[in-house]
Amino acid sequence: MQNVIQVFLGGTIGAILRYAIQIVVGTFGMLWIVNVIGSFLLGCLNGYFEKKESKLKLFFTTGMLGTFTTFSTYSESSFNMLIEGPLTGFLFIIGMTLASISAAFLGYFFIRGKKQ
Amino acid sequence: MSWLLVALGGGLGAALRYTVQVLITKVSMPSYWSTILVNLIGSFFIGFIASWEVNNQLVFSLLTIGLLGGFTTFSTFSYDVVKLVDQKQIWKSFVYVIVNILGGLLFFWIGWRF
């Protein structure tokens, strides 16, 4: 039960941050910012928590960053862009996926370092 | 008011996503299956809501941005790929990416036409 509460509280903060960014830069800019930065930070945190146990892990990872980033709006935007212009939509889909995965890689290996 | 609804929806979405993760682990399936499940289900429902064509700020804050935004996740998706590649499961990581992306588009469309 304590775990669910941690995840819930982290989720409220992640959602508020994402909403604030959406209000400032709009949906398209928001998707790039939250998904790339959120993937980078989740990579960093997972690298960090591998070396150091923490009771707050779920709050930050599954709760805050899991909620800060979003897939549902990404699917919706991808779908709409594909209909309006297949090439733009395709580039958007590939671009965001590669950027976010690369960011998670960088964050994770930057913090974790080489395995002993 | 909309901020409160976003926070509430986001918290609930995260708690639900965590519940799916715990259940998937309980039946001994790899945890990336829970990411696929939440992203496909979330994409279905966002398509479903998009088809209502209502412009209601409450629905938008609570359900679209809060609940579904929080239930689905892109960072865990990215990190799942990192883990798969780190375990040298290159082909599996490719298939995993394709399933999430094409599945998300397909389920959005199904929800929209539903």
Side-chain angles (χ1 to χ4, degrees), chain A residues 87-100:
Chain A
L87 182 65
T88 323
F90 182 73
L91 289 176
F92 171 74
I93 291 169
I94 301 288
M96 181 164 296
T97 306
L98 284 182
S100 301

Side-chain angles (χ1 to χ4, degrees), chain B residues 46-68:
Chain B
I46 211 164
F48 186 55
I49 290 176
S51 72
W52 295 352
E53 288 177 358
V54 287
N55 211 346
N56 185 325
Q57 188 59 39
L58 294 182
V59 172
F60 191 60
S61 306
L62 181 69
L63 297 182
T64 306
I65 300 182
L67 190 69
L68 293 175

Side-chain angles (χ1 to χ4, degrees), chain A residues 3 10 12 22 25 53 56 64 72 87 90 93 103 108 111 114 116:
Chain A
N3 286 352
T12 61
Q22 188 170 12
V25 301
E53 286 286 314
L56 289 175
M64 201 170 87
S72 47
L87 182 65
F90 182 73
I93 291 169
Y108 179 66
I111 297 293
K114 277 193 178 140
Q116 280 88 17

Side-chain angles (χ1 to χ4, degrees), chain B residues 5-6 16 56-57 70-71 76-77 92 98 108-109 113:
Chain B
L5 291 174
V6 166
L16 279 173
N56 185 325
Q57 188 59 39
F71 183 60
T76 312
F77 159 72
K92 206 180 248 182
I98 302 283
F108 174 86
W109 181 74
R113 297 296 301 262

Side-chain angles (χ1 to χ4, degrees), chain A residues 3 9 21 26-27 31 40 45 47 53-54 58 74 76-77 80 90 96 100 102 110 114:
Chain A
N3 286 352
L9 291 177
I21 293 172
T27 302
L31 280 173
F40 176 75
L45 279 184
E53 286 286 314
S54 169
L58 279 174
Y74 164 77
E76 183 176 29
S77 295
N80 290 334
F90 182 73
M96 181 164 296
S100 301
S102 310
F110 177 62
K114 277 193 178 140

